[in-house]
Amino acid sequence: MTERLVVIGGDAAGMSAASQARRRRGPDDLRIVAFEKGAHASYSACGIPYLVGGEVADPEELVSRRPEVFRDEFDIDLRLHSEVVEIDLDRRAVAVRDTDTGAGGGGGGAPRWEPFDRLVVATGAVPNRPDVPGVETEGVYGVQTLDDGTALLDAVAEKPERAVVVGGGYIGLEMAEALVRRGIRVSLVDLAGQPMSTLDPDMGALVADALRDLGVELHLGERLEGFEESGGRVSAVRTENRTLPADLVVLGLGTRPNSALAEAAGIPVGETSGIRTDRRMRTAAEGVWAAGDCVETFHLVSRRPVAIALGTHANKQGRVAGINIGGGYAAFPGVIGTAISKVCEYEVARTGLSTTEALRAGFEPVGVVVESTTRAGYYPGALPMKTKMIADRATGRLLGAQIVGREGSAKRIDTLAIAVWHEMTVEEMTGLDLSYAPPFSPVWDPVLITARKTAQRLEELRGRD
Amino acid sequence: MTERLVVIGGDAAGMSAASQARRRRGPDDLRIVAFEKGAHASYSACGIPYLVGGEVADPEELVSRRPEVFRDEFDIDLRLHSEVVEIDLDRRAVAVRDTDTGAGGGGGGAPRWEPFDRLVVATGAVPNRPDVPGVETEGVYGVQTLDDGTALLDAVAEKPERAVVVGGGYIGLEMAEALVRRGIRVSLVDLAGQPMSTLDPDMGALVADALRDLGVELHLGERLEGFEESGGRVSAVRTENRTLPADLVVLGLGTRPNSALAEAAGIPVGETSGIRTDRRMRTAAEGVWAAGDCVETFHLVSRRPVAIALGTHANKQGRVAGINIGGGYAAFPGVIGTAISKVCEYEVARTGLSTTEALRAGFEPVGVVVESTTRAGYYPGALPMKTKMIADRATGRLLGAQIVGREGSAKRIDTLAIAVWHEMTVEEMTGLDLSYAPPFSPVWDPVLITARKTAQRLEELRGRD
């Protein structure tokens, strides 16, 4: 008997799950229907800042697979403009509303019920919006969907003079740079005392310097109070200390799992508000999987549940769900908080726990920062980079690492990430057989130098015990 | 009572050992004397091709620490032009000959005996020289010491028209590129059917293409028969198939451990002809350590002894020896054959076992090559790269990996190296939390895509079993 798989959400997680399930089960065995409420499926939301900044010329370039490819090559019935508004686990059906009817959009008729035997919830994340007056004013943009991206592109085309970015996380910084590239004067407001609060303060300070060099006006440690409007559009951003004129505002305050639909259906969500799954991405409800930004996952170092919205996790989790639905076995092991970003001429990356996170998790962290170069010092194009390692004082285990440096530095975070993953000690790391040639690193790669210096520091501390 | 540490060899391994020993033991406790037969100590031999190619302007730039730094800051008595010609373990002394006396160089007087309590043998490697007529002809250069480098620089200054490089390993290729940069017509001769025979043939073929694009004339699979001379200088290289005119010849035939001195003293050497040590870099002789290119080490995947001449190993082994001599504990765990090189616009890297090496070690290797890009496909500057993984069919364990690609690709070998180090399976690797942002990688990093495809391939093969 043919089963029917319904996928809610047509981006990375949902479409990876659908594709993997199809790879293992043919159309006679498994019908696959995917509902996407927006106008696009399977696109790179992470590419939006580069679209706005002009590095990417056309929104279509961010689409990795066009809808007809899913239909024609994968036999996946992908339906755009189709919002699932309810999951009924007893009826084994979802209620779908057309979002493309009428001039105002937003569903003319009653939702229709679509049955499922198996269900994948891949509803993504919702951007955090500050609870302040004026947040719904025109000209205040989120950066979440490709539709947000094209709206921002239109706004930029009108040559605004001043923009304010609220929030100094990855997206906030990437957007600040994008707007500067468009010739716009940019201010950045963040309640935190540094941009990229997932970095330790000493490393975050380097990022702040990079932003100032780019001409971004930083207002750190300042509470947002609201948005002012003029003629129906945003005209200024008010903080506790000042009023910043703004023709355009970008919100970069992070996201939270979009789990309301699942929760309303009785599918358990965790303390992070992400949907709970096991390693195979199964929810507690029979025959229901979840994947991507809407789920809660496990942090392998802190051993706590976390919700991290990131395309790479979404793709992996979707793949895992799809393999399992297809009758195979796959597991998503968890995350260690690896992230990377480019800010002007600087590359920024982190993995594992920051010092604050390590303390919170009960470790006694020892941090060591080493200044080095991307290539052998004498080789042309050697550029400076700083690497920080955070190790557990008692065991020497690498808990986390951060890199801020010029071109060619930050991808080294992957090396550090696998070391964190395998719970290596910094002393063990000094023996790693990493690649060396003058165009690629000093004879001691920055990773190895930092491991060595951290091991030395731990030894000195032991000497004092 | 003050002990006396004698170090034979003043480059990476020897001086690392001396410096680390000094860090832990003051001059009242440990006298340190280092003998270096050449005119330079502590330099980057790996930088020689860039000196010859002109990327590095001055030989002095390759010197990481000048002799007076060792004397003044480390209280290490470094003596240049001092060749140790004999080790007498019973007398606990080494015989030292001055190499800088008289116009012809090469020791006027009798060697004098220098006593030691502890000894570090760091005598490096000797370049392999082919046993063919004319190999001693003027104009035939090795690439081993900084003195070789300056000799080559002088030769290049005379504007030779044609050069022949014998041997297509890392040094051979780097030298070929260096000579092309100097406007010299370069031919490369190798008995092997591909350059970089440490790569699988399919990946080596990409390197051959890159060399041809650079204008290097390749004569692969050809046996060298000898060198012809004219007026006391080399004039041609003779292979079994042809005679290649040459104003300059560079030998890049690899090296072997320079262990004759140790062996003559009765210190055991292994089947690779490298000096045998334990993990702490102790030889079988009481109070005698060895480190660097002169030792034999352990390959963690093949579980066989290997001798690999590489500055990064030498530095690490020297550090380990020095810490142990200083009274601490450190161990060198072994190697996995990681290497990296730049050939024109291409980056080339490898780690672990090649297919041939895996077969020899008793695995059943399965190789998968994936073509991908260094950045997200839509991000400016995304360049092509090919990644190959070699996995064990029975267990899925990653045995080795190779990368050939454009700028920004090859340093990913470190990520693969740690995966090999930890004996990860390719399926496990698909879950790794590696960094992702469009300027740094596609949403699936090439490492992850290749892991996924290799896992798929293994699953298909299992389906057939």
Side-chain angles (χ1 to χ4, degrees):
Chain A
M1 204 194 73
T2 309
E3 276 194 326
R4 193 170 200 256
L5 168 65
V6 164
V7 176
I8 311 177
D11 204 358
M15 299 320 289
S16 290
S19 311
Q20 284 291 335
R22 172 59 74 229
R23 207 173 66 80
R24 290 164 181 266
R25 298 176 64 179
D28 293 340
D29 180 34
L30 188 73
R31 283 264 298 137
I32 306 180
V33 189
F35 298 106
E36 163 58 44
K37 70 177 173 190
H40 304 273
S42 189
Y43 61 87
S44 170
C46 324
I48 294 172
Y50 311 106
L51 181 68
V52 177
E55 290 102 323
V56 175
D58 185 338
E60 286 296 314
E61 289 184 50
L62 299 185
V63 175
S64 63
R65 273 186 189 144
R66 299 197 44 78
E68 53 271 24
V69 173
F70 288 109
R71 285 182 209 127
D72 301 346
E73 291 180 27
F74 289 85
D75 218 327
I76 292 166
D77 182 4
L78 167 61
R79 303 190 196 163
L80 301 177
H81 305 294
S82 301
E83 182 178 10
V84 173
V85 292
E86 193 184 335
I87 302 169
D88 189 326
L89 291 176
D90 295 329
R91 280 174 72 173
R92 310 295 286 170
V94 298
V96 182
R97 196 174 63 93
D98 191 343
T99 60
D100 199 28
T101 53
R112 63 181 188 286
W113 287 91
E114 294 272 0
F116 66 80
D117 298 298
R118 291 160 187 258
L119 182 67
V120 172
V121 182
T123 42
V126 282
N128 292 323
R129 292 180 83 83
D131 185 20
V132 296
V135 65
E136 299 300 336
T137 310
E138 187 132 340
V140 178
Y141 295 90
V143 189
Q144 180 67 12
T145 64
L146 193 46
D147 294 332
D148 293 337
T150 53
L152 269 160
L153 208 51
D154 292 343
V156 162
E158 286 174 28
K159 307 263 177 221
E161 262 178 57
R162 293 156 185 271
V164 174
V165 174
V166 180
Y170 292 92
I171 287 289
L173 299 195
E174 287 162 8
M175 285 305 305
E177 182 183 350
L179 297 170
V180 167
R181 281 176 172 270
R182 292 293 191 174
I184 302 168
R185 280 182 56 186
V186 179
S187 303
L188 188 137
V189 175
D190 199 318
L191 182 58
Q194 63 171 89
M196 296 240 184
S197 50
T198 54
L199 297 182
D200 281 4
D202 51 351
M203 300 298 275
L206 303 173
V207 178
D209 290 344
L211 285 166
R212 285 190 198 100
D213 285 352
L214 188 70
V216 176
E217 201 179 295
L218 299 183
H219 302 290
L220 302 172
E222 270 187 44
R223 182 180 305 278
L224 175 74
E225 297 207 323
F227 301 97
E228 292 175 5
E229 69 173 283
S230 157
R233 275 193 68 86
V234 73
S235 63
V237 175
R238 223 172 42 244
T239 76
E240 55 186 333
N241 301 331
R242 75 199 77 229
T243 298
L244 296 161
D247 307 311
L248 174 68
V249 173
V250 174
L251 299 177
L253 294 167
T255 63
R256 59 183 193 284
N258 186 13
S259 56
L261 189 69
E263 195 174 13
I267 298 169
V269 303
E271 63 192 80
T272 66
S273 89
I275 300 168
R276 279 201 181 139
T277 73
D278 65 9
R279 298 164 60 87
R280 300 181 72 175
M281 304 314 295
R282 294 185 300 201
T283 71
E286 178 66 29
V288 180
W289 279 258
D293 297 355
C294 62
V295 308
E296 172 171 288
T297 184
F298 184 74
H299 196 296
L300 294 166
V301 189
S302 72
R303 297 188 176 163
R304 302 284 312 152
V306 283
I308 297 178
L310 208 55
T312 180
H313 300 331
N315 269 290
K316 284 177 199 150
Q317 292 168 346
R319 171 181 177 265
V320 166
I323 289 176
N324 289 319
I325 291 167
Y329 175 87
F332 184 78
V335 301
I336 55 173
T338 309
I340 194 168
S341 184
K342 195 175 124 345
V343 184
C344 342
E345 300 304 304
Y346 285 82
E347 299 182 352
V348 183
R350 55 99 67 213
T351 191
L353 302 181
S354 67
T355 296
T356 307
E357 289 168 338
L359 285 167
R360 202 182 301 140
F363 294 101
E364 189 179 3
V366 172
V368 172
V369 179
V370 169
E371 203 164 343
S372 181
T373 51
T374 54
R375 304 173 178 192
Y378 57 79
Y379 193 87
L383 293 170
M385 62 178 284
K386 281 192 180 165
T387 309
K388 180 168 193 172
M389 283 192 183
I390 295 144
D392 182 36
R393 180 167 173 177
T395 61
R397 176 180 161 194
L398 181 69
L399 301 174
Q402 301 171 18
I403 297 172
V404 178
R406 299 281 300 282
E407 187 169 358
S409 47
K411 243 311 187 177
R412 280 181 173 84
I413 205 70
D414 290 351
T415 310
L416 293 157
I418 309 203
V420 168
W421 188 273
H422 286 287
E423 307 191 5
M424 293 187 83
T425 67
V426 288
E427 177 59 36
E428 279 168 354
M429 289 181 70
T430 63
L432 280 171
D433 189 357
L434 303 184
S435 60
Y436 159 61
F440 300 97
S441 80
V443 67
W444 287 93
D445 188 274
V447 167
L448 296 174
I449 305 176
T450 315
R452 222 178 60 200
K453 298 279 182 193
T454 309
Q456 255 177 44
R457 176 85 187 115
L458 290 171
E459 197 186 0
E460 287 160 16
L461 289 170
R462 273 197 299 278
R464 283 200 216 146
D465 286 346
Chain B
M1 203 196 74
T2 310
E3 277 194 327
R4 192 169 200 255
L5 169 65
V6 165
V7 176
I8 311 176
D11 203 358
M15 298 320 288
S16 290
S19 310
Q20 285 291 336
R22 172 58 74 227
R23 206 173 66 77
R24 290 163 181 268
R25 297 177 64 179
D28 293 341
D29 180 34
L30 189 72
R31 284 262 301 136
I32 306 179
V33 189
F35 298 105
E36 163 58 43
K37 70 177 173 189
H40 304 275
S42 189
Y43 61 88
S44 170
C46 323
I48 294 171
Y50 312 105
L51 181 68
V52 177
E55 290 101 322
V56 175
D58 184 337
E60 284 297 313
E61 290 184 49
L62 299 186
V63 176
S64 63
R65 274 187 189 143
R66 299 195 48 76
E68 53 271 26
V69 174
F70 289 109
R71 285 182 209 127
D72 301 346
E73 292 178 28
F74 289 85
D75 219 325
I76 293 166
D77 182 5
L78 168 61
R79 305 192 195 160
L80 300 177
H81 306 291
S82 300
E83 181 177 11
V84 173
V85 292
E86 192 184 338
I87 302 169
D88 189 326
L89 291 176
D90 296 328
R91 281 174 72 173
R92 309 292 292 169
V94 298
V96 182
R97 195 175 62 95
D98 191 344
T99 59
D100 198 30
T101 52
R112 62 183 188 285
W113 287 91
E114 294 273 357
F116 65 81
D117 298 297
R118 290 160 188 258
L119 181 68
V120 172
V121 182
T123 41
V126 282
N128 291 322
R129 292 181 83 83
D131 185 19
V132 295
V135 67
E136 300 299 336
T137 311
E138 186 131 343
V140 177
Y141 295 90
V143 189
Q144 179 68 13
T145 65
L146 193 47
D147 295 332
D148 293 337
T150 52
L152 269 161
L153 209 52
D154 292 344
V156 162
E158 286 173 28
K159 308 262 177 224
E161 260 177 58
R162 293 156 184 272
V164 174
V165 174
V166 180
Y170 292 92
I171 288 289
L173 298 196
E174 287 162 8
M175 286 304 305
E177 183 183 350
L179 297 170
V180 168
R181 281 178 172 269
R182 293 292 191 176
I184 301 168
R185 279 182 57 184
V186 179
S187 304
L188 189 136
V189 175
D190 199 319
L191 183 57
Q194 62 170 88
M196 293 239 186
S197 50
T198 54
L199 298 181
D200 281 4
D202 51 351
M203 300 299 275
L206 303 173
V207 178
D209 290 344
L211 285 165
R212 285 190 198 99
D213 284 353
L214 188 69
V216 176
E217 201 179 294
L218 300 183
H219 302 289
L220 302 172
E222 270 186 45
R223 183 179 305 277
L224 175 74
E225 297 207 324
F227 302 96
E228 291 175 6
E229 69 172 283
S230 157
R233 275 192 68 87
V234 73
S235 63
V237 176
R238 221 172 45 244
T239 76
E240 54 186 334
N241 300 331
R242 73 198 78 228
T243 297
L244 296 160
D247 307 312
L248 175 68
V249 173
V250 174
L251 299 177
L253 293 167
T255 63
R256 58 182 194 284
N258 186 14
S259 55
L261 189 67
E263 195 174 13
I267 298 169
V269 303
E271 62 192 80
T272 66
S273 89
I275 300 169
R276 279 201 181 140
T277 73
D278 65 9
R279 299 164 60 87
R280 301 182 71 176
M281 305 314 295
R282 296 183 298 202
T283 70
E286 178 66 30
V288 181
W289 278 259
D293 296 356
C294 62
V295 308
E296 170 171 288
T297 184
F298 183 74
H299 196 296
L300 294 167
V301 189
S302 73
R303 297 187 178 164
R304 301 284 312 151
V306 284
I308 297 178
L310 208 55
T312 181
H313 300 331
N315 269 289
K316 283 177 201 151
Q317 292 168 346
R319 171 180 177 265
V320 166
I323 289 175
N324 290 319
I325 291 166
Y329 176 87
F332 184 78
V335 301
I336 55 173
T338 308
I340 193 167
S341 184
K342 195 175 123 348
V343 184
C344 341
E345 300 303 304
Y346 285 83
E347 299 182 353
V348 184
R350 56 101 66 212
T351 190
L353 303 180
S354 67
T355 296
T356 307
E357 290 167 339
L359 285 167
R360 202 182 302 140
F363 294 101
E364 188 180 2
V366 173
V368 172
V369 179
V370 169
E371 203 164 344
S372 179
T373 52
T374 55
R375 305 175 178 191
Y378 57 79
Y379 193 87
L383 293 170
M385 63 179 283
K386 282 193 180 162
T387 309
K388 181 169 192 172
M389 283 192 185
I390 295 146
D392 181 36
R393 181 166 171 177
T395 61
R397 176 179 161 195
L398 182 70
L399 301 174
Q402 301 172 18
I403 295 173
V404 177
R406 300 279 301 282
E407 186 171 356
S409 47
K411 243 309 186 178
R412 280 181 174 83
I413 204 71
D414 289 350
T415 310
L416 293 157
I418 308 201
V420 168
W421 189 273
H422 286 286
E423 307 191 5
M424 292 186 84
T425 67
V426 288
E427 178 58 35
E428 280 168 354
M429 289 182 70
T430 63
L432 280 172
D433 189 356
L434 303 184
S435 60
Y436 160 62
F440 300 97
S441 79
V443 66
W444 287 92
D445 189 274
V447 168
L448 296 174
I449 306 178
T450 314
R452 221 177 62 200
K453 299 279 182 194
T454 310
Q456 255 176 45
R457 176 86 187 113
L458 290 170
E459 197 186 0
E460 287 160 16
L461 290 171
R462 272 197 299 278
R464 282 200 216 146
D465 283 347

